[in-house]
Amino acid sequence: MKIQTAAIAALLLAFSGGTANAGERIADPFARADASFSRYPLNLPTTPQAIGRLINGDVCGEEEGIDCEWEDETGVRHVVVGNDVLAIKAVDVAMLGNRHIAALNIGTARQRADVLAKVRAFLPEIAIDCLEPGKAGEGKGVASCGGSFDNGGWIKLLFGPTGRLTSARVDAFQIN
């Protein structure tokens, strides 16, 4: 899980001041996806308390075998593992309702075709494939769409039985 100094510098530059301004585009697709969820960079140590509130109670961490999840002011969940390394960012769409979702440039799209069009336009470098319900392994009626980045990270979008988005996430690395 070593990160080279140049990569850290690039990520810090990409995340300084939060997400990119509307006219700017982060060149690295993983950094772009990461920044779209929140200003806290994945795959780097963080101060979890700076993110927001701990949402899975007082008992979490390596000793308990439960990953610590911190929610920021916009409703994005941040999974912190090991030595306070940020591993996953996720959005539970039901919690946000019809509000704008900055993550992956989803905006107010909720139906599968609309969401995939937005995400593919936001990350044209990434091939996004889908597994239909019954093959996705995500539960009855749930379809899963996602794509991988060159650094080993990936995104995943889940759609319920009606084709409506239920969650979106970006993972920096496999945590289990």
Side-chain angles (χ1 to χ4, degrees):
M1 204 161 58
K2 287 187 176 182
I3 300 175
Q4 297 177 354
T5 305
I8 292 173
L11 280 172
L12 291 175
L13 179 63
F15 292 107
S16 61
T19 59
N21 293 331
E24 296 177 22
R25 183 174 176 104
I26 299 171
D28 179 323
F30 176 76
R32 188 178 330 125
D34 182 5
S36 75
F37 278 82
S38 76
R39 68 179 180 259
Y40 307 100
L42 285 167
N43 209 16
L44 291 176
T46 190
T47 303
Q49 296 80 2
I51 294 170
R53 68 182 186 94
L54 181 63
I55 61 172
N56 56 334
D58 296 345
V59 181
C60 67
E62 285 188 73
E63 293 176 11
E64 292 82 11
I66 301 170
D67 297 325
C68 297
E69 292 188 36
W70 298 80
E71 185 176 66
D72 71 11
E73 68 279 356
T74 66
V76 175
R77 292 182 172 199
H78 299 72
V79 178
V80 177
V81 298
N83 293 324
D84 290 336
V85 173
L86 187 52
I88 299 169
K89 296 179 186 180
V91 174
D92 178 351
V93 177
M95 300 277 298
L96 299 179
N98 292 326
R99 286 189 354 214
H100 180 272
I101 298 173
L104 304 174
N105 198 38
I106 292 168
T108 57
R110 295 298 185 270
Q111 287 306 122
R112 182 170 159 177
D114 299 331
V115 171
L116 290 176
K118 301 272 281 178
V119 174
R120 286 179 172 136
F122 183 67
L123 296 170
E125 309 89 341
I126 304 303
I128 298 175
D129 298 312
C130 297
L131 294 172
E132 298 306 319
K135 294 187 176 164
E138 298 289 347
K140 185 175 173 93
V142 178
S144 174
C145 300
S148 298
F149 299 97
D150 289 342
N151 69 351
W154 65 91
I155 59 168
K156 182 187 276 190
L157 305 161
L158 297 180
F159 298 90
T162 64
R164 187 170 170 83
L165 181 68
T166 60
S167 70
R169 68 188 267 169
V170 60
D171 293 55
F173 53 87
Q174 186 69 36
I175 62 173
N176 54 5

